Amino acid sequence: MSYPYQIKSLETYQQEYRKSTDNPEAFWEQIGQHFEWKKPFEKTLEWDFLEGKTEWYLGGQLNITENALDRHVATQPDAIALVWEPNHPDAATRSFTYRELQHRVMQLGHVLKKKGIGKGDRVCIYMGMVPELAIAVLACARIGAVHSVIFGGFSAQSIADRIQDAQASAVITCDGAARGAKDIPLKSVVDEALLQCPSVHSVIVLAHTQSPCNMFAGRDFWWANEIAEIEKAGSPFLPAEAMDSEDPLFILYTSGSTGKPKGVVHSTAGYMVWAAYTFVNVFQYQPGQIHFCTADIGWITGHSYIVYGPLLAGGTSLMFEGIPTYPDAGRFWEIVEKHRVNILYTAPTAIRSLMGFGTEPIEGKDLSSLRVLGSVGEPINEEAWHWYDEHIGKRNSPIVDTWWQTETGGILISNLAGVTPSKPAFATLPLPGVQPVLVDEHGHEIEGNGVSGNLCIRFPWPGIIRTTYGDHERCKSTYFSVYPNLYFTGDGCLRDENGNYRITGRVDDVLNVSGHRIGTAEVENAINAHTGVVESAVVGFPHEVKGQGIYAYVIYQGQHHDDELTKRDILATVSKVIGPIAKPDKIQFVSGLPKTRSGKIMRRILRKIADGELENLGDTTTLLDPLVVDEIKDGRISG
Ligand code: WTA
């Protein structure tokens, strides 16, 4: 395997970047030629940002699994595609060659087809981090079904909302998931969700943790039994479904500033090209290297850099079932040593949390196989950056700080490992094809260097969001109407004297807690679902490990004997409605919220109080009840 589009020097980066902006169509047409097409594309790009529409590689037909699997089975069938490291270090590692992975994907593809699932049908996947999760994703892609993976930490209600929105006809799940010392009963959560989901006719269940789970006759099927049937029939080759370039590949729900998560839709060809191009360039992947991305496949990072990117490149992807601190805080380093990991891609939250354990867990671990380190999901502070560089990379492995979003499909702004310079806490420069623009709140472009503003992108790249499922207006209004003719990211950003970009965080009502995106409105809805709660307002506050924590101001009029007990009950309600990741760190009971005369909550004030900035709250004279601010200040929860 060689990568004709891999950029190997700073000069080439500059040349390629220029080509990609001078003539984007010609640039991406040429890159598109390096993939396998069932039918060649006729036109590279059509777009209209005013309508929020982008189409790439029009007229082409392909299947992403032929590019991610069959192509490599033909040339390197015995190369390792996937390595799986279990939750507990004493359990057995599993690995799959390209031939084996393709075989298993085809088997599950047959199973899905037997259940009547075909091209365009939506399949919801709710599993722990087991190899079968990657197999399920690829099996959907093989038969042209649209996968929608839901992170294993979401509640039954969240699953039901997503299944209903996508009108999914099948679910693939596990009996349970092992995460650290916990055994999470996934199937029973699915059962609860499905009480509200008449669209689902089949559930495939993988036995993994052997925790008891009920199986409804006619609806629920054991994975192993279904595969045994296919084996009995000789496991025939399953040809890959021919997909149009713009046929949807997957839906992934993500939080925005409203209470309802949106189904971000990615299509086949553009996403494929972007995942492969960014993987090979940002990480400077070399054939044979072991790539370890610690994300969960329930998030976009896992889609693009555990499953699709590495496999499209014919690489070896390592997936890990557990958490960085189980059985102890040396787990990541032990995995790096055991598997001779070359590329480690993780989140600042994980780095900060491991920093807290000092260097003792690293001592005696051989990390000399590492070549490249990566960071994703939230701004990385300089302290964490330097710790990562010094103690993990031993000042010998470039760090790539990769900025991107669920909506962008793959990395948009990042240095290329060892090829373009890094700068602590800066994502640095845009990838070829990416044209960043900073604008002020009126949408006027801010030119020059040494400036900051809201980050937008001026021109489509192949991996851009195509629509929000079932509601294109929402896609248009969220991303393309805020500033006409620009894609709006929702992030604030500064550009230094040399043109390097540093992403400073969300400028909308989206929180980033441990790298997980959560909408304040979603959390408020969940809190308000608790009996006795009249109203609530949720803001983020700086958190040493998680990046941001959740601070909730709650007006409560229920039976109120014990504040602490009520807080616990509210947390339980939030867990039930969204999932444990959305639980507020702090709850303050208040008698009122600072509102303008038109009834709008002044979040700016609440954010400042949560930050401990009690002076200079700005103009409070326009408030309906300015006195409430003093009460909230007095009751602030510190620490
Ligand atoms: C934030 C994750 C700073 C940003 C891939 C973005 C980052 C949101 C970085 C998307 C980074 C992601 N530096 N901030 N390197 N990477 N973000 O959709 O606020 O889960 O808008 O995608 O994470 O989160 P999402």
Side-chain angles (χ1 to χ4, degrees):
M1 194 75 200
S2 70
Y3 310 116
Y5 45 82
Q6 192 169 53
I7 295 166
K8 296 194 172 111
S9 70
L10 181 58
E11 297 69 50
T12 316
Y13 163 73
Q14 285 157 345
Q15 280 163 12
E16 293 295 289
Y17 189 79
R18 206 167 312 117
K19 275 199 255 169
S20 81
T21 51
D22 286 352
N23 192 344
E25 280 91 340
F27 183 83
W28 291 111
E29 179 189 332
Q30 204 227 333
I31 302 222
Q33 310 291 353
H34 298 299
F35 294 81
E36 301 253 317
W37 298 86
K38 284 177 181 287
K39 178 170 167 281
F41 54 91
E42 287 147 16
K43 184 156 192 251
T44 308
L45 171 65
E46 262 182 29
W47 66 294
D48 178 358
F49 269 5
L50 290 176
E51 290 302 317
K53 282 196 72 165
T54 312
E55 295 183 314
W56 284 94
Y57 302 112
L58 293 90
Q61 285 198 329
L62 73 160
N63 187 291
I64 195 167
T65 69
E66 285 188 337
N67 283 275
L69 299 171
D70 302 31
R71 195 165 46 140
H72 312 307
V73 172
T75 55
Q76 46 165 19
D78 300 320
I80 304 291
L82 194 65
V83 180
W84 178 73
E85 175 66 25
N87 179 51
H88 199 282
D90 294 340
T93 293
R94 294 166 68 192
S95 62
F96 302 81
T97 64
Y98 272 94
R99 197 206 313 265
E100 285 162 352
L101 188 60
Q102 182 207 41
H103 179 68
R104 285 172 190 260
V105 166
M106 293 196 297
Q107 285 184 320
L108 187 65
H110 279 300
V111 171
L112 296 175
K113 289 187 87 156
K114 257 181 57 189
K115 301 292 170 217
I117 298 152
K119 184 170 179 169
D121 293 337
R122 276 79 57 213
V123 175
C124 161
I125 304 177
Y126 183 70
M127 299 173 87
M129 282 287 285
V130 287
E132 286 80 1
L133 166 53
I135 290 167
V137 162
L138 293 163
C140 289
R142 185 81 177 176
I143 66 168
V146 179
H147 56 78
S148 172
V149 185
I150 301 178
F151 174 63
F154 279 115
S155 68
Q157 186 59 51
S158 296
I159 300 172
D161 292 344
R162 287 159 172 76
I163 290 179
Q164 286 167 0
D165 188 76
Q167 286 295 296
S169 46
V171 175
I172 307 177
T173 188
C174 298
D175 49 357
R179 270 177 71 77
K182 288 193 204 129
D183 182 351
I184 302 157
L186 299 184
K187 173 61 165 59
S188 63
V189 179
V190 167
D191 287 339
E192 193 185 331
L194 292 190
L195 295 173
Q196 309 175 46
C197 302
S199 63
V200 172
H201 56 69
S202 306
V203 181
I204 313 287
V205 186
L206 177 81
H208 176 59
T209 55
Q210 327 306 333
S211 47
C213 71
N214 58 281
M215 296 288 285
F216 288 109
R219 188 196 73 181
D220 299 351
F221 307 92
W222 289 112
W223 176 300
N225 292 352
E226 295 301 312
I227 297 290
E229 292 288 312
I230 302 299
E231 274 170 357
K232 248 195 262 163
S235 287
F237 186 87
L238 175 63
E241 191 73 32
M243 306 300 286
D244 288 339
S245 290
E246 281 300 324
D247 278 339
L249 175 65
F250 65 86
I251 306 172
L252 189 54
Y253 285 85
T254 190
S255 295
S257 29
T258 66
K260 195 172 160 268
K262 24 180 199 265
V264 171
V265 176
H266 283 288
S267 64
T268 307
Y271 173 82
M272 171 184 75
V273 168
W274 194 244
Y277 183 82
T278 54
F279 176 72
V280 159
N281 280 304
V282 171
F283 301 104
Q284 288 292 302
Y285 185 81
Q286 303 303 322
Q289 286 188 330
I290 312 287
H291 174 80
F292 176 21
C293 167
T294 71
D296 191 290
I297 296 178
W299 310 114
I300 190 70
T301 305
H303 281 61
S304 301
Y305 301 111
I306 296 177
V307 182
Y308 287 115
L311 297 181
L312 287 164
T316 303
S317 183
L318 171 70
M319 92 186 250
F320 172 43
E321 182 179 27
I323 57 171
T325 49
Y326 176 82
D328 58 52
R331 189 72 172 110
F332 273 5
W333 322 128
E334 188 183 285
I335 295 172
V336 169
E337 178 176 73
K338 174 171 168 190
H339 295 282
R340 307 294 296 152
V341 168
N342 304 112
I343 304 169
L344 174 67
Y345 189 31
T346 193
T349 292
I351 299 168
R352 287 190 298 259
S353 124
L354 294 172
M355 263 169 77
F357 291 88
T359 52
E360 201 255 332
I362 307 168
E363 277 160 28
K365 306 276 181 351
D366 179 4
L367 306 184
S368 63
S369 56
L370 287 173
R371 294 287 171 276
V372 174
L373 303 177
S375 171
V376 61
E378 36 172 335
I380 180 164
N381 47 313
E382 289 198 30
E383 195 193 352
W385 195 100
H386 286 295
W387 189 87
Y388 202 24
D389 183 39
E390 190 175 326
H391 296 288
I392 308 308
K394 319 286 183 198
R395 295 221 171 90
N396 215 1
S397 300
I399 296 178
V400 287
D401 178 359
T402 64
W403 172 81
W404 58 298
Q405 311 178 295
T406 304
E407 294 86 344
T408 70
I411 298 162
L412 293 201
I413 303 183
S414 172
N415 49 315
L416 312 182
V419 169
T420 65
S422 64
K423 176 171 178 180
F426 278 75
T428 73
L429 299 174
L431 266 73
V434 178
Q435 302 185 31
V437 188
L438 299 185
V439 299
D440 65 20
E441 63 269 36
H442 308 294
H444 298 309
E445 183 173 346
I446 305 169
E447 295 187 40
N449 286 341
V451 292
S452 57
N454 290 344
L455 178 62
C456 296
I457 314 287
R458 196 200 304 278
F459 196 89
W461 61 98
I464 191 173
I465 179 174
R466 297 308 197 265
T467 190
T468 43
Y469 191 79
D471 187 357
H472 188 69
E473 270 312 305
R474 192 156 175 216
C475 174
K476 230 170 95 173
S477 65
T478 312
Y479 307 107
F480 298 97
S481 303
V482 183
Y483 305 113
N485 273 317
L486 296 174
Y487 165 83
F488 176 47
T489 65
D491 278 319
C493 182
L494 67 83
R495 186 163 54 215
D496 77 1
E497 298 306 329
N498 301 315
N500 287 307
Y501 290 88
R502 172 185 192 147
I503 284 66
T504 47
R506 303 287 305 194
V507 293
D508 53 10
D509 290 323
V510 173
L511 305 177
N512 193 329
V513 180
S514 302
H516 301 157
R517 259 169 85 167
I518 301 168
T520 52
E522 267 177 273
V523 184
E524 288 163 7
N525 289 348
I527 294 174
N528 298 350
H530 189 77
T531 180
V533 171
V534 178
E535 198 180 1
S536 62
V538 162
V539 297
F541 69 95
H543 188 287
E544 240 181 63
V545 174
K546 300 200 258 187
Q548 261 187 324
I550 304 179
Y551 196 118
Y553 299 90
V554 177
I555 306 175
Y556 182 82
Q557 283 185 351
Q559 289 286 324
H560 202 70
H561 301 302
D562 180 342
D563 272 7
E564 289 313 309
L565 203 57
T566 307
K567 284 183 189 177
R568 274 186 8 222
D569 291 346
I570 290 175
L571 294 181
T573 303
V574 173
S575 276
K576 200 74 193 164
V577 176
I578 306 176
I581 54 171
K583 284 198 295 195
D585 300 271
K586 298 178 182 180
I587 296 176
Q588 180 183 349
F589 293 114
V590 295
S591 67
L593 292 166
K595 286 189 180 173
T596 61
R597 292 204 174 85
S598 59
K600 211 172 143 301
I601 296 174
M602 299 275 278
R603 287 169 189 283
R604 177 176 52 79
I605 294 177
L606 294 176
R607 266 194 292 267
K608 284 199 168 171
I609 296 176
D611 283 7
E613 247 186 82
L614 302 182
E615 310 306 316
N616 303 325
L617 292 180
D619 185 12
T620 54
T621 53
T622 56
L623 290 179
L624 201 56
D625 175 14
L627 289 182
V628 81
V629 173
D630 293 324
E631 177 213 305
I632 296 176
K633 271 165 48 175
D634 290 342
R636 171 177 180 269
I637 299 169
S638 55

